[in-house]
Amino acid sequence: MNRISDLFQTKQQNILSIYYPAGYPNLQDTVPILRELEKAGVDMVEIGIPFSDPMADGPVIQDASTQALRNGISLRLIFEQLKDIRSEGIRMPVLLMGYLNPIMQYGFEHFCQSCMEVGVDGVIIPDLPFADYLKDYRPIADRYDLRMIMLITPETSEERIRLIDAHTDGFIYMVSSAATTGVQKSFDEQKQSYFRKINEMRLRNPRLVGFGISNKATYQSALKNASGGIIGSRFVQLLKSEKSPQEAIRKLLEEIRG
Protein backbone atom coordinates (compact mmCIF):
# COMPACT_ATOMS: atom_id res chain seq x y z
CA MET A 1 0.00 0.00 0.00
CA ASN A 2 1.10 3.57 -0.66
CA ARG A 3 2.66 4.95 2.53
CA ILE A 4 0.43 8.08 2.50
CA SER A 5 -2.73 5.99 2.36
CA ASP A 6 -1.35 3.69 5.05
CA LEU A 7 -0.59 6.65 7.36
CA PHE A 8 -4.13 8.01 7.18
CA GLN A 9 -5.61 4.56 7.74
CA THR A 10 -3.58 4.02 10.89
CA LYS A 11 -3.62 7.58 12.26
CA GLN A 12 -6.64 9.80 11.65
CA GLN A 13 -5.73 12.73 13.91
CA ASN A 14 -2.79 14.85 15.13
CA ILE A 15 -0.74 14.32 11.98
CA LEU A 16 2.30 16.55 11.64
CA SER A 17 3.81 17.10 8.22
CA ILE A 18 6.97 19.19 7.76
CA TYR A 19 8.07 21.01 4.61
CA TYR A 20 11.60 22.10 3.76
CA PRO A 21 13.40 22.76 0.45
CA ALA A 22 15.95 20.27 -0.83
CA GLY A 23 19.54 21.47 -0.75
CA TYR A 24 19.01 23.89 2.15
CA PRO A 25 20.70 25.22 4.23
CA ASN A 26 23.54 23.28 2.57
CA LEU A 27 23.51 21.24 -0.61
CA GLN A 28 23.89 17.87 1.10
CA ASP A 29 21.43 18.55 3.95
CA THR A 30 18.36 17.06 2.21
CA VAL A 31 18.64 13.52 3.59
CA PRO A 32 20.24 14.28 6.99
CA ILE A 33 17.25 16.56 7.78
CA LEU A 34 14.89 13.80 6.64
CA ARG A 35 16.56 11.31 8.98
CA GLU A 36 16.30 13.68 11.93
CA LEU A 37 12.61 14.37 11.25
CA GLU A 38 11.86 10.65 11.28
CA LYS A 39 13.81 10.19 14.53
CA ALA A 40 11.74 13.01 16.06
CA GLY A 41 8.48 11.21 15.24
CA VAL A 42 7.22 13.51 12.47
CA ASP A 43 4.49 11.74 10.51
CA MET A 44 5.19 12.90 6.97
CA VAL A 45 7.63 15.12 5.06
CA GLU A 46 7.24 17.33 2.00
CA ILE A 47 10.54 18.11 0.29
CA GLY A 48 10.44 21.23 -1.84
CA ILE A 49 11.88 21.34 -5.36
CA PRO A 50 13.48 24.81 -5.45
CA PHE A 51 12.37 26.96 -8.39
CA SER A 52 13.33 30.44 -9.50
CA ASP A 53 9.74 31.74 -9.79
CA PRO A 54 7.76 30.32 -6.84
CA MET A 55 4.29 31.90 -7.10
CA ALA A 56 2.77 30.57 -3.88
CA ASP A 57 5.80 30.95 -1.63
CA GLY A 58 6.34 33.76 0.84
CA PRO A 59 9.71 35.45 1.44
CA VAL A 60 11.08 32.85 3.87
CA ILE A 61 10.69 29.92 1.47
CA GLN A 62 11.61 32.07 -1.55
CA ASP A 63 14.91 33.02 0.09
CA ALA A 64 15.61 29.41 1.08
CA SER A 65 14.86 28.18 -2.44
CA THR A 66 17.14 30.82 -3.91
CA GLN A 67 19.93 29.70 -1.57
CA ALA A 68 19.36 26.05 -2.48
CA LEU A 69 19.62 26.88 -6.19
CA ARG A 70 22.83 28.79 -5.52
CA ASN A 71 24.08 25.73 -3.65
CA GLY A 72 23.59 23.76 -6.87
CA ILE A 73 20.42 21.77 -6.18
CA SER A 74 18.47 20.36 -9.14
CA LEU A 75 15.70 17.83 -9.59
CA ARG A 76 18.18 15.29 -10.91
CA LEU A 77 20.38 15.78 -7.84
CA ILE A 78 17.36 15.52 -5.50
CA PHE A 79 16.62 12.03 -6.85
CA GLU A 80 20.29 11.13 -6.51
CA GLN A 81 20.23 12.28 -2.88
CA LEU A 82 17.04 10.32 -2.11
CA LYS A 83 17.98 7.05 -3.83
CA ASP A 84 18.91 5.17 -0.63
CA ILE A 85 16.35 6.55 1.84
CA ARG A 86 14.23 3.39 1.95
CA SER A 87 17.17 0.99 2.19
CA GLU A 88 18.46 3.16 5.05
CA GLY A 89 15.22 2.53 6.93
CA ILE A 90 13.21 5.72 6.48
CA ARG A 91 9.59 4.55 6.72
CA MET A 92 7.44 7.69 6.84
CA PRO A 93 5.70 9.00 3.71
CA VAL A 94 7.81 11.40 1.63
CA LEU A 95 6.33 13.79 -0.92
CA LEU A 96 7.93 16.15 -3.40
CA MET A 97 6.39 19.61 -3.73
CA GLY A 98 7.25 21.83 -6.65
CA TYR A 99 6.13 23.77 -9.67
CA LEU A 100 5.28 22.28 -13.03
CA ASN A 101 8.05 23.90 -15.07
CA PRO A 102 11.09 21.95 -13.72
CA ILE A 103 9.05 18.74 -13.60
CA MET A 104 8.08 19.11 -17.26
CA GLN A 105 11.69 19.86 -18.18
CA TYR A 106 12.65 16.61 -16.46
CA GLY A 107 9.76 14.81 -18.21
CA PHE A 108 6.59 13.99 -16.28
CA GLU A 109 6.65 10.22 -16.75
CA HIS A 110 10.39 10.14 -16.09
CA PHE A 111 9.68 12.16 -12.93
CA CYS A 112 7.01 9.69 -11.76
CA GLN A 113 9.29 6.75 -12.49
CA SER A 114 12.13 8.37 -10.52
CA CYS A 115 9.74 8.99 -7.60
CA MET A 116 8.78 5.32 -7.55
CA GLU A 117 12.41 4.18 -7.79
CA VAL A 118 13.58 6.23 -4.78
CA GLY A 119 10.46 5.68 -2.66
CA VAL A 120 8.64 9.02 -2.98
CA ASP A 121 4.94 8.47 -2.25
CA GLY A 122 3.21 11.62 -3.47
CA VAL A 123 3.55 14.87 -5.35
CA ILE A 124 2.16 18.38 -4.81
CA ILE A 125 2.23 20.66 -7.85
CA PRO A 126 0.44 23.92 -6.90
CA ASP A 127 0.27 25.29 -10.46
CA LEU A 128 -1.03 22.10 -12.12
CA PRO A 129 -4.55 22.83 -13.47
CA PHE A 130 -7.05 20.28 -12.19
CA ALA A 131 -8.53 19.63 -15.65
CA ASP A 132 -5.06 18.87 -17.01
CA TYR A 133 -4.40 16.58 -14.04
CA LEU A 134 -7.54 14.56 -14.80
CA LYS A 135 -6.90 14.34 -18.54
CA ASP A 136 -3.15 13.95 -18.87
CA TYR A 137 -1.37 13.44 -15.55
CA ARG A 138 -3.43 11.22 -13.29
CA PRO A 139 -3.18 8.10 -15.50
CA ILE A 140 0.63 8.37 -15.46
CA ALA A 141 0.83 9.03 -11.72
CA ASP A 142 -1.49 6.09 -11.01
CA ARG A 143 0.77 3.82 -13.06
CA TYR A 144 3.59 4.56 -10.60
CA ASP A 145 1.37 4.47 -7.46
CA LEU A 146 1.94 8.17 -6.79
CA ARG A 147 -0.63 10.23 -4.90
CA MET A 148 -1.22 13.58 -6.61
CA ILE A 149 -2.24 15.98 -3.83
CA MET A 150 -4.48 18.92 -4.73
CA LEU A 151 -4.83 22.24 -2.91
CA ILE A 152 -8.05 24.01 -1.96
CA THR A 153 -8.40 27.57 -0.62
CA PRO A 154 -11.21 29.62 0.95
CA GLU A 155 -12.04 30.73 -2.62
CA THR A 156 -12.47 27.19 -3.98
CA SER A 157 -16.12 26.45 -4.74
CA GLU A 158 -17.94 23.57 -3.07
CA GLU A 159 -18.46 22.00 -6.50
CA ARG A 160 -14.72 22.07 -7.22
CA ILE A 161 -13.87 20.73 -3.75
CA ARG A 162 -16.20 17.76 -4.22
CA LEU A 163 -14.73 17.15 -7.68
CA ILE A 164 -11.21 17.14 -6.24
CA ASP A 165 -12.34 14.85 -3.43
CA ALA A 166 -13.85 12.39 -5.90
CA HIS A 167 -10.81 12.20 -8.18
CA THR A 168 -7.82 12.23 -5.81
CA ASP A 169 -6.45 9.96 -3.11
CA GLY A 170 -4.14 10.47 -0.15
CA PHE A 171 -5.27 13.76 1.37
CA ILE A 172 -6.45 17.24 0.45
CA TYR A 173 -4.10 20.15 1.16
CA MET A 174 -6.31 22.81 2.74
CA VAL A 175 -4.60 26.17 2.30
CA SER A 176 -5.53 28.46 5.20
CA SER A 177 -5.80 31.59 3.03
CA ALA A 178 -5.38 32.84 -0.52
CA ALA A 179 -2.09 34.52 0.47
CA THR A 180 1.40 33.09 0.06
CA THR A 181 3.13 30.88 2.62
CA GLY A 182 4.38 32.45 5.84
CA VAL A 183 4.25 32.50 9.62
CA GLN A 184 1.01 33.54 11.37
CA LYS A 185 0.52 33.94 15.12
CA SER A 186 -3.13 32.88 15.04
CA PHE A 187 -6.00 32.01 12.71
CA ASP A 188 -8.84 34.52 12.85
CA GLU A 189 -12.53 33.60 12.99
CA GLN A 190 -12.88 33.84 9.21
CA LYS A 191 -10.23 31.16 8.69
CA GLN A 192 -11.62 28.96 11.43
CA SER A 193 -15.10 29.27 9.91
CA TYR A 194 -13.63 28.07 6.62
CA PHE A 195 -12.01 25.08 8.36
CA ARG A 196 -15.35 24.20 10.00
CA LYS A 197 -17.25 24.53 6.73
CA ILE A 198 -14.91 22.09 4.95
CA ASN A 199 -15.07 19.67 7.89
CA GLU A 200 -18.87 19.72 7.74
CA MET A 201 -18.76 18.66 4.06
CA ARG A 202 -17.77 15.15 5.24
CA LEU A 203 -15.31 14.62 2.40
CA ARG A 204 -13.98 11.21 1.48
CA ASN A 205 -10.34 12.29 1.78
CA PRO A 206 -8.68 13.46 5.01
CA ARG A 207 -7.38 17.05 5.07
CA LEU A 208 -4.23 18.74 6.28
CA VAL A 209 -4.09 22.50 6.87
CA GLY A 210 -1.09 24.39 5.51
CA PHE A 211 0.17 27.97 5.11
CA GLY A 212 0.58 29.92 8.35
CA ILE A 213 0.99 27.15 10.94
CA SER A 214 3.88 28.18 13.15
CA ASN A 215 2.99 27.76 16.82
CA LYS A 216 0.77 25.89 19.28
CA ALA A 217 -2.27 28.12 18.64
CA THR A 218 -2.29 27.70 14.86
CA TYR A 219 -1.44 23.98 15.04
CA GLN A 220 -4.22 23.28 17.54
CA SER A 221 -6.65 25.28 15.41
CA ALA A 222 -5.80 23.07 12.44
CA LEU A 223 -6.30 19.90 14.49
CA LYS A 224 -9.84 20.88 15.47
CA ASN A 225 -11.20 20.59 11.95
CA ALA A 226 -8.66 18.51 10.01
CA SER A 227 -6.44 15.47 10.44
CA GLY A 228 -3.38 17.61 11.04
CA GLY A 229 -1.17 20.45 9.91
CA ILE A 230 1.74 21.22 7.60
CA ILE A 231 4.55 23.45 8.83
CA GLY A 232 6.99 24.99 6.37
CA SER A 233 8.10 28.60 6.84
CA ARG A 234 8.69 28.34 10.59
CA PHE A 235 10.82 25.23 10.19
CA VAL A 236 12.81 26.86 7.38
CA GLN A 237 13.42 29.88 9.64
CA LEU A 238 14.72 27.58 12.37
CA LEU A 239 16.98 25.70 9.95
CA LYS A 240 18.62 29.05 9.26
CA SER A 241 18.83 30.31 12.84
CA GLU A 242 19.70 27.17 14.81
CA LYS A 243 23.08 25.49 14.90
CA SER A 244 21.85 22.08 13.65
CA PRO A 245 18.78 20.37 12.15
CA GLN A 246 18.31 18.51 15.45
CA GLU A 247 18.08 21.79 17.34
CA ALA A 248 15.71 23.27 14.73
CA ILE A 249 13.40 20.25 15.05
CA ARG A 250 13.56 20.27 18.86
CA LYS A 251 12.66 23.94 18.99
CA LEU A 252 9.83 23.56 16.46
CA LEU A 253 8.24 20.69 18.37
CA GLU A 254 8.54 22.65 21.59
CA GLU A 255 6.81 25.65 19.98
CA ILE A 256 3.87 23.71 18.58
CA ARG A 257 3.35 21.21 21.40
CA GLY A 258 4.36 23.24 24.41
Side-chain angles (χ1 to χ4, degrees):
M1 181 183 287
N2 181 282
R3 277 172 284 261
I4 299 171
S5 302
D6 188 46
L7 170 64
F8 284 99
Q9 282 198 11
T10 57
K11 184 175 182 180
Q12 285 81 41
Q13 292 295 323
N14 301 324
I15 288 173
L16 174 61
S17 183
I18 300 292
Y19 167 94
Y20 67 97
Y24 180 84
N26 303 297
L27 182 62
Q28 299 301 330
D29 283 344
T30 310
V31 172
I33 292 171
L34 188 62
R35 290 193 200 106
E36 294 302 326
L37 288 167
E38 172 141 298
K39 282 182 193 173
V42 169
D43 298 299
M44 186 162 62
V45 166
E46 299 164 19
I47 298 175
I49 304 167
F51 181 51
S52 57
D53 188 23
M55 298 180 301
D57 295 334
V60 170
I61 292 176
Q62 281 190 30
D63 290 348
S65 294
T66 299
Q67 182 60 53
L69 291 169
R70 286 177 182 153
N71 290 344
I73 200 65
S74 67
L75 189 48
R76 193 171 302 278
L77 182 53
I78 291 170
F79 285 125
E80 179 65 25
Q81 291 176 341
L82 297 178
K83 66 182 172 61
D84 296 322
I85 59 170
R86 298 307 179 188
S87 62
E88 289 179 6
I90 290 178
R91 296 182 177 86
M92 64 182 168
V94 174
L95 295 88
L96 289 180
M97 184 171 186
Y99 295 92
L100 193 55
N101 186 293
I103 294 171
M104 293 304 292
Q105 288 185 25
Y106 189 86
F108 186 75
E109 182 152 8
H110 185 205
F111 172 79
C112 292
Q113 182 178 357
S114 295
C115 285
M116 182 189 71
E117 288 170 353
V118 304
V120 167
D121 307 287
V123 181
I124 305 169
I125 308 175
D127 59 341
L128 174 61
F130 187 66
D132 291 354
Y133 154 75
L134 287 177
K135 179 174 176 285
D136 299 321
Y137 295 89
R138 181 180 181 180
I140 300 171
D142 286 350
R143 197 178 307 152
Y144 294 96
D145 195 29
L146 271 182
R147 300 292 179 264
M148 296 285 287
I149 306 304
M150 293 288 155
L151 285 71
I152 64 172
T153 76
E155 282 68 42
T156 307
S157 69
E158 182 172 336
E159 180 185 16
R160 173 56 66 94
I161 292 169
R162 293 201 180 279
L163 192 63
I164 288 171
D165 188 47
H167 293 283
T168 62
D169 295 293
F171 68 94
I172 291 174
Y173 192 127
M174 192 159 68
V175 177
S176 67
S177 71
T180 57
T181 58
V183 171
Q184 295 180 37
K185 290 183 179 179
S186 63
F187 288 140
D188 60 23
E189 177 53 34
Q190 185 177 8
K191 289 186 177 69
Q192 296 198 48
S193 176
Y194 156 61
F195 299 157
R196 288 193 296 270
K197 174 189 144 189
I198 302 300
N199 193 38
E200 288 164 3
M201 289 176 68
R202 299 289 182 256
L203 299 175
R204 182 177 64 90
N205 279 295
R207 286 128 13 249
L208 296 182
V209 177
F211 287 43
I213 297 179
S214 62
N215 56 22
K216 187 174 183 180
T218 47
Y219 184 58
Q220 290 298 322
S221 180
L223 295 183
K224 286 179 185 175
N225 290 289
S227 292
I230 301 162
I231 300 177
S233 294
R234 182 57 186 148
F235 182 56
V236 173
Q237 284 179 333
L238 291 168
L239 285 174
K240 183 177 181 178
S241 65
E242 301 305 310
K243 62 186 178 184
S244 67
Q246 297 97 312
E247 187 61 24
I249 294 164
R250 185 199 65 76
K251 191 163 183 178
L252 179 71
L253 295 180
E254 186 179 85
E255 287 177 358
I256 66 167
R257 292 175 176 165

Short mmCIF file of all heavy atoms in Angstrom, two decimals, residues 142-182:
data_model
loop_
_atom_site.label_atom_id
_atom_site.label_comp_id
_atom_site.label_asym_id
_atom_site.label_seq_id
_atom_site.Cartn_x
_atom_site.Cartn_y
_atom_site.Cartn_z
N ASP A 142 -0.91 7.33 -11.52
CA ASP A 142 -1.49 6.09 -11.01
C ASP A 142 -0.64 4.88 -11.40
O ASP A 142 -0.51 3.91 -10.62
CB ASP A 142 -2.91 5.91 -11.55
CG ASP A 142 -3.92 6.83 -10.87
OD1 ASP A 142 -3.56 7.48 -9.87
OD2 ASP A 142 -5.07 6.91 -11.37
N ARG A 143 -0.07 4.93 -12.58
CA ARG A 143 0.77 3.82 -13.06
C ARG A 143 1.95 3.59 -12.13
O ARG A 143 2.43 2.46 -11.99
CB ARG A 143 1.26 4.16 -14.47
CG ARG A 143 1.78 2.97 -15.27
CD ARG A 143 2.20 3.43 -16.66
NE ARG A 143 1.13 4.16 -17.33
CZ ARG A 143 1.32 5.10 -18.25
NH1 ARG A 143 2.55 5.46 -18.60
NH2 ARG A 143 0.29 5.71 -18.83
N TYR A 144 2.42 4.66 -11.49
CA TYR A 144 3.59 4.56 -10.60
C TYR A 144 3.19 4.65 -9.12
O TYR A 144 4.05 4.88 -8.26
CB TYR A 144 4.60 5.64 -10.97
CG TYR A 144 5.19 5.43 -12.35
CD1 TYR A 144 4.66 6.09 -13.45
CD2 TYR A 144 6.25 4.54 -12.55
CE1 TYR A 144 5.17 5.87 -14.73
CE2 TYR A 144 6.77 4.33 -13.82
CZ TYR A 144 6.23 5.00 -14.90
OH TYR A 144 6.75 4.78 -16.17
N ASP A 145 1.89 4.47 -8.83
CA ASP A 145 1.37 4.47 -7.46
C ASP A 145 1.73 5.74 -6.70
O ASP A 145 2.05 5.71 -5.52
CB ASP A 145 1.87 3.24 -6.69
CG ASP A 145 1.06 3.00 -5.41
OD1 ASP A 145 -0.14 3.38 -5.39
OD2 ASP A 145 1.62 2.47 -4.43
N LEU A 146 1.65 6.87 -7.40
CA LEU A 146 1.94 8.17 -6.79
C LEU A 146 0.63 8.87 -6.46
O LEU A 146 -0.27 8.94 -7.29
CB LEU A 146 2.71 9.06 -7.77
CG LEU A 146 4.23 9.00 -7.80
CD1 LEU A 146 4.73 10.02 -8.82
CD2 LEU A 146 4.85 9.28 -6.44
N ARG A 147 0.53 9.43 -5.26
CA ARG A 147 -0.63 10.23 -4.90
C ARG A 147 -0.39 11.68 -5.35
O ARG A 147 0.59 12.29 -4.96
CB ARG A 147 -0.87 10.18 -3.39
CG ARG A 147 -1.13 8.79 -2.85
CD ARG A 147 -2.46 8.23 -3.35
NE ARG A 147 -2.68 6.89 -2.85
CZ ARG A 147 -2.40 5.76 -3.51
NH1 ARG A 147 -1.84 5.84 -4.70
NH2 ARG A 147 -2.67 4.58 -2.98
N MET A 148 -1.29 12.19 -6.17
CA MET A 148 -1.22 13.58 -6.61
C MET A 148 -2.11 14.40 -5.68
O MET A 148 -3.34 14.26 -5.69
CB MET A 148 -1.69 13.70 -8.06
CG MET A 148 -0.80 12.96 -9.05
SD MET A 148 0.76 13.81 -9.37
CE MET A 148 0.20 15.18 -10.36
N ILE A 149 -1.52 15.25 -4.87
CA ILE A 149 -2.24 15.98 -3.83
C ILE A 149 -2.66 17.35 -4.37
O ILE A 149 -1.84 18.10 -4.89
CB ILE A 149 -1.37 16.15 -2.58
CG1 ILE A 149 -0.83 14.79 -2.10
CG2 ILE A 149 -2.13 16.86 -1.48
CD1 ILE A 149 -1.88 13.74 -1.81
N MET A 150 -3.94 17.66 -4.24
CA MET A 150 -4.48 18.92 -4.73
C MET A 150 -4.73 19.89 -3.58
O MET A 150 -5.04 19.48 -2.46
CB MET A 150 -5.79 18.69 -5.48
CG MET A 150 -5.60 17.92 -6.77
SD MET A 150 -4.80 18.94 -8.03
CE MET A 150 -4.05 17.67 -9.06
N LEU A 151 -4.61 21.18 -3.88
CA LEU A 151 -4.83 22.24 -2.91
C LEU A 151 -6.21 22.84 -3.07
O LEU A 151 -6.72 22.99 -4.20
CB LEU A 151 -3.79 23.35 -3.06
CG LEU A 151 -2.37 23.09 -2.56
CD1 LEU A 151 -1.64 22.09 -3.45
CD2 LEU A 151 -1.57 24.39 -2.52
N ILE A 152 -6.83 23.20 -1.94
CA ILE A 152 -8.05 24.01 -1.96
C ILE A 152 -7.81 25.24 -1.09
O ILE A 152 -6.98 25.21 -0.18
CB ILE A 152 -9.29 23.23 -1.47
CG1 ILE A 152 -9.13 22.82 0.01
CG2 ILE A 152 -9.56 22.01 -2.34
CD1 ILE A 152 -10.41 22.23 0.62
N THR A 153 -8.52 26.32 -1.37
CA THR A 153 -8.40 27.57 -0.62
C THR A 153 -9.79 28.04 -0.20
O THR A 153 -10.80 27.46 -0.64
CB THR A 153 -7.74 28.67 -1.47
OG1 THR A 153 -8.71 29.16 -2.41
CG2 THR A 153 -6.51 28.15 -2.22
N PRO A 154 -9.89 29.10 0.60
CA PRO A 154 -11.21 29.62 0.95
C PRO A 154 -12.01 30.07 -0.28
O PRO A 154 -13.23 30.20 -0.20
CB PRO A 154 -10.89 30.82 1.86
CG PRO A 154 -9.58 30.48 2.47
CD PRO A 154 -8.82 29.76 1.39
N GLU A 155 -11.34 30.30 -1.40
CA GLU A 155 -12.04 30.73 -2.62
C GLU A 155 -12.49 29.56 -3.49
O GLU A 155 -13.20 29.76 -4.48
CB GLU A 155 -11.14 31.66 -3.44
CG GLU A 155 -11.05 33.09 -2.93
CD GLU A 155 -10.32 33.18 -1.60
OE1 GLU A 155 -9.30 32.50 -1.44
OE2 GLU A 155 -10.78 33.93 -0.73
N THR A 156 -12.09 28.35 -3.16
CA THR A 156 -12.47 27.19 -3.98
C THR A 156 -13.94 26.87 -3.76
O THR A 156 -14.40 26.76 -2.63
CB THR A 156 -11.61 25.96 -3.61
OG1 THR A 156 -10.22 26.31 -3.68
CG2 THR A 156 -11.87 24.82 -4.59
N SER A 157 -14.68 26.71 -4.85
CA SER A 157 -16.12 26.45 -4.74
C SER A 157 -16.38 25.05 -4.18
O SER A 157 -15.54 24.15 -4.30
CB SER A 157 -16.78 26.57 -6.11
OG SER A 157 -16.37 25.49 -6.95
N GLU A 158 -17.57 24.89 -3.59
CA GLU A 158 -17.94 23.57 -3.07
C GLU A 158 -17.95 22.53 -4.19
O GLU A 158 -17.51 21.40 -3.99
CB GLU A 158 -19.30 23.62 -2.38
CG GLU A 158 -19.71 22.29 -1.79
CD GLU A 158 -20.98 22.35 -0.94
OE1 GLU A 158 -21.30 23.43 -0.43
OE2 GLU A 158 -21.62 21.30 -0.80
N GLU A 159 -18.42 22.93 -5.36
CA GLU A 159 -18.46 22.00 -6.50
C GLU A 159 -17.05 21.51 -6.84
O GLU A 159 -16.83 20.32 -7.05
CB GLU A 159 -19.09 22.69 -7.71
CG GLU A 159 -19.17 21.81 -8.94
CD GLU A 159 -19.70 22.57 -10.15
OE1 GLU A 159 -19.73 23.81 -10.13
OE2 GLU A 159 -20.08 21.90 -11.12
N ARG A 160 -16.08 22.45 -6.89
CA ARG A 160 -14.72 22.07 -7.22
C ARG A 160 -14.10 21.20 -6.12
O ARG A 160 -13.38 20.25 -6.40
CB ARG A 160 -13.87 23.34 -7.44
CG ARG A 160 -12.36 23.10 -7.62
CD ARG A 160 -12.06 22.14 -8.77
NE ARG A 160 -12.42 22.67 -10.03
CZ ARG A 160 -11.59 23.33 -10.85
NH1 ARG A 160 -10.35 23.53 -10.49
NH2 ARG A 160 -12.01 23.76 -12.01
N ILE A 161 -14.40 21.53 -4.86
CA ILE A 161 -13.87 20.73 -3.75
C ILE A 161 -14.37 19.29 -3.85
O ILE A 161 -13.60 18.34 -3.68
CB ILE A 161 -14.26 21.36 -2.39
CG1 ILE A 161 -13.53 22.69 -2.19
CG2 ILE A 161 -13.94 20.39 -1.24
CD1 ILE A 161 -14.04 23.51 -1.03
N ARG A 162 -15.65 19.12 -4.13
CA ARG A 162 -16.20 17.76 -4.22
C ARG A 162 -15.62 17.03 -5.44
O ARG A 162 -15.43 15.80 -5.40
CB ARG A 162 -17.72 17.81 -4.26
CG ARG A 162 -18.32 18.31 -2.94
CD ARG A 162 -19.76 17.91 -2.76
NE ARG A 162 -20.29 18.40 -1.49
CZ ARG A 162 -20.10 17.84 -0.30
NH1 ARG A 162 -19.38 16.72 -0.21
NH2 ARG A 162 -20.64 18.36 0.79
N LEU A 163 -15.34 17.75 -6.51
CA LEU A 163 -14.73 17.15 -7.68
C LEU A 163 -13.31 16.67 -7.36
O LEU A 163 -12.92 15.55 -7.71
CB LEU A 163 -14.70 18.17 -8.83
CG LEU A 163 -14.36 17.65 -10.22
CD1 LEU A 163 -15.41 16.67 -10.71
CD2 LEU A 163 -14.23 18.82 -11.20
N ILE A 164 -12.56 17.52 -6.66
CA ILE A 164 -11.21 17.14 -6.24
C ILE A 164 -11.27 15.92 -5.31
O ILE A 164 -10.50 14.97 -5.45
CB ILE A 164 -10.51 18.33 -5.54
CG1 ILE A 164 -10.15 19.41 -6.58
CG2 ILE A 164 -9.27 17.88 -4.76
CD1 ILE A 164 -9.65 20.71 -5.97
N ASP A 165 -12.20 15.94 -4.39
CA ASP A 165 -12.34 14.85 -3.43
C ASP A 165 -12.65 13.53 -4.13
O ASP A 165 -12.16 12.46 -3.74
CB ASP A 165 -13.45 15.19 -2.43
CG ASP A 165 -13.54 14.19 -1.29
OD1 ASP A 165 -12.46 13.86 -0.72
OD2 ASP A 165 -14.64 13.75 -0.94
N ALA A 166 -13.44 13.60 -5.19
CA ALA A 166 -13.85 12.39 -5.90
C ALA A 166 -12.74 11.80 -6.77
O ALA A 166 -12.74 10.60 -7.06
CB ALA A 166 -15.07 12.69 -6.77
N HIS A 167 -11.79 12.65 -7.18
CA HIS A 167 -10.81 12.20 -8.18
C HIS A 167 -9.36 12.23 -7.68
O HIS A 167 -8.43 12.20 -8.49
CB HIS A 167 -10.94 13.07 -9.44
CG HIS A 167 -12.23 12.86 -10.17
ND1 HIS A 167 -12.47 11.75 -10.97
CD2 HIS A 167 -13.37 13.60 -10.19
CE1 HIS A 167 -13.70 11.84 -11.47
NE2 HIS A 167 -14.27 12.94 -11.02
N THR A 168 -9.17 12.32 -6.37
CA THR A 168 -7.82 12.23 -5.81
C THR A 168 -7.82 11.25 -4.64
O THR A 168 -8.87 10.89 -4.11
CB THR A 168 -7.31 13.60 -5.31
OG1 THR A 168 -8.17 14.08 -4.27
CG2 THR A 168 -7.24 14.61 -6.44
N ASP A 169 -6.63 10.85 -4.26
CA ASP A 169 -6.45 9.96 -3.11
C ASP A 169 -5.29 10.49 -2.28
O ASP A 169 -4.48 11.26 -2.75
CB ASP A 169 -6.16 8.53 -3.57
CG ASP A 169 -7.34 7.92 -4.30
OD1 ASP A 169 -8.38 7.68 -3.66
OD2 ASP A 169 -7.21 7.68 -5.52
N GLY A 170 -5.21 10.03 -1.05
CA GLY A 170 -4.14 10.47 -0.15
C GLY A 170 -4.69 11.44 0.86
O GLY A 170 -5.14 11.05 1.94
N PHE A 171 -4.66 12.74 0.53
CA PHE A 171 -5.27 13.76 1.37
C PHE A 171 -5.47 15.02 0.55
O PHE A 171 -4.95 15.14 -0.57
CB PHE A 171 -4.42 14.06 2.62
CG PHE A 171 -3.09 14.73 2.35
CD1 PHE A 171 -2.95 16.11 2.41
CD2 PHE A 171 -1.96 13.97 2.06
CE1 PHE A 171 -1.72 16.73 2.18
CE2 PHE A 171 -0.73 14.58 1.82
CZ PHE A 171 -0.61 15.96 1.88
N ILE A 172 -6.25 15.94 1.08
CA ILE A 172 -6.45 17.24 0.45
C ILE A 172 -5.66 18.27 1.25
O ILE A 172 -5.73 18.31 2.48
CB ILE A 172 -7.94 17.61 0.40
CG1 ILE A 172 -8.67 16.70 -0.60
CG2 ILE A 172 -8.13 19.08 0.00
CD1 ILE A 172 -10.18 16.87 -0.62
N TYR A 173 -4.91 19.10 0.54
CA TYR A 173 -4.10 20.15 1.16
C TYR A 173 -4.99 21.39 1.27
O TYR A 173 -5.32 22.01 0.29
CB TYR A 173 -2.89 20.43 0.26
CG TYR A 173 -1.80 21.28 0.85
CD1 TYR A 173 -0.48 20.84 0.86
CD2 TYR A 173 -2.05 22.55 1.38
CE1 TYR A 173 0.55 21.63 1.39
CE2 TYR A 173 -1.05 23.34 1.90
CZ TYR A 173 0.26 22.87 1.90
OH TYR A 173 1.27 23.65 2.42
N MET A 174 -5.38 21.71 2.50
CA MET A 174 -6.31 22.81 2.74
C MET A 174 -5.51 24.07 3.08
O MET A 174 -5.01 24.22 4.20
CB MET A 174 -7.27 22.44 3.88
CG MET A 174 -8.45 23.37 4.02
SD MET A 174 -9.85 22.63 4.90
CE MET A 174 -9.21 22.45 6.55
N VAL A 175 -5.36 24.94 2.11
CA VAL A 175 -4.60 26.17 2.30
C VAL A 175 -5.42 27.12 3.17
O VAL A 175 -6.60 27.36 2.92
CB VAL A 175 -4.29 26.82 0.93
CG1 VAL A 175 -3.56 28.15 1.11
CG2 VAL A 175 -3.46 25.86 0.07
N SER A 176 -4.78 27.67 4.20
CA SER A 176 -5.53 28.46 5.20
C SER A 176 -6.02 29.79 4.65
O SER A 176 -6.98 30.36 5.18
CB SER A 176 -4.66 28.70 6.44
OG SER A 176 -3.56 29.54 6.12
N SER A 177 -5.37 30.31 3.62
CA SER A 177 -5.80 31.59 3.03
C SER A 177 -5.33 31.66 1.60
O SER A 177 -4.54 30.82 1.15
CB SER A 177 -5.23 32.77 3.83
OG SER A 177 -3.84 32.88 3.61
N ALA A 178 -5.78 32.67 0.88
CA ALA A 178 -5.38 32.84 -0.52
C ALA A 178 -4.03 33.52 -0.64
O ALA A 178 -3.54 33.76 -1.74
CB ALA A 178 -6.44 33.65 -1.27
N ALA A 179 -3.39 33.85 0.49
CA ALA A 179 -2.09 34.52 0.47
C ALA A 179 -0.98 33.50 0.24
O ALA A 179 -1.23 32.29 0.14
CB ALA A 179 -1.87 35.26 1.78
N THR A 180 0.27 33.98 0.21
CA THR A 180 1.40 33.09 0.06
C THR A 180 1.75 32.46 1.41
O THR A 180 1.17 32.81 2.44
CB THR A 180 2.63 33.86 -0.47
OG1 THR A 180 2.92 34.94 0.43
CG2 THR A 180 2.38 34.39 -1.87
N THR A 181 2.69 31.53 1.39
CA THR A 181 3.13 30.88 2.62
C THR A 181 3.76 31.90 3.57
O THR A 181 4.23 32.95 3.16
CB THR A 181 4.19 29.80 2.32
OG1 THR A 181 5.29 30.41 1.65
CG2 THR A 181 3.61 28.71 1.44
N GLY A 182 3.77 31.55 4.86
CA GLY A 182 4.38 32.45 5.84
C GLY A 182 3.89 32.15 7.24
O GLY A 182 2.93 31.41 7.44
#
